[in-house]
Amino acid sequence: WNETSGTNYSVKLQSAAISGSVLVCAFSSGVFAVYDATSPKALPCLHKLSAARGSIDTVAMSGDLIALGSKRFGQLAVWHWRDEAFALKQQGHDHEATCAAWSPDGRVFASGGADHKVKVWSDATGFCFATFDDHLAPVAAVAFAASKNAFLAS
């Protein structure tokens, strides 16, 4: 609620991820924010950006890189928050982008979508180098194995 304008804001936390001492939160307003998670009393905001016209629905972190997915537009973006620059911005899926995860080494990330596809993206090039379309339903989650070059999708 904004008392000055009398506007009622309805913004929901859609997704959150933590990497080391940094917490990133994605909101239904299209804004994501980066916080210092080491503070004992409050979470100081390190960076805030409006990155989408609609909701940011999924977020994953690897070091200074933040992967963001928008269900409504099927878009994927990777934001380097310390440099304040996009490393990747792609139309990733034919329908909603529903989930994302980074590999343990931070060199690739996978995204899942309502289009029944899992896509694997290179951090170095910013392009999708593999697409798996064997799912019979929308992909709800992706995760990389900690010690192998493998990932799981459901």
Side-chain angles (χ1 to χ4, degrees):
W1 177 259
N2 183 320
E3 290 184 24
T4 305
S5 67
T7 305
N8 186 13
Y9 293 103
S10 178
V11 176
K12 293 187 329 185
L13 175 68
Q14 296 294 99
S15 183
I18 194 162
S19 178
S21 64
V22 176
L23 169 70
V24 63
C25 297
F27 299 97
S28 60
S29 61
V31 170
F32 75 95
V34 180
Y35 299 95
D36 177 358
T38 62
S39 178
K41 294 186 178 183
L43 290 175
C45 185
L46 303 173
H47 184 78
K48 188 188 298 185
L49 181 70
S50 179
R53 290 177 289 161
S55 180
I56 298 173
D57 302 294
T58 187
V59 64
M61 282 192 75
S62 177
D64 293 343
L65 297 172
I66 301 169
L68 307 162
S70 171
K71 287 182 181 180
R72 182 175 173 201
F73 300 107
Q75 294 173 334
L76 293 168
V78 175
W79 179 257
H80 192 286
W81 74 268
R82 288 192 196 270
D83 290 347
E84 298 184 5
F86 282 105
L88 160 76
K89 199 171 187 180
Q90 296 284 334
Q91 184 68 31
H93 291 271
D94 296 333
H95 300 291
E96 301 171 346
T98 57
C99 53
W102 284 97
S103 65
D105 63 8
R107 294 189 300 176
V108 299
F109 73 96
S111 63
D115 57 3
H116 305 197
K117 295 178 183 175
V118 174
K119 295 188 171 206
V120 184
W121 304 81
S122 168
D123 175 48
T125 66
F127 291 105
C128 174
F129 64 86
T131 300
F132 300 92
D133 57 4
D134 298 329
H135 279 267
L136 301 177
V139 180
V142 291
F144 280 86
S147 60
K148 304 282 183 189
N149 290 330
F151 67 90
L152 305 169
S154 67

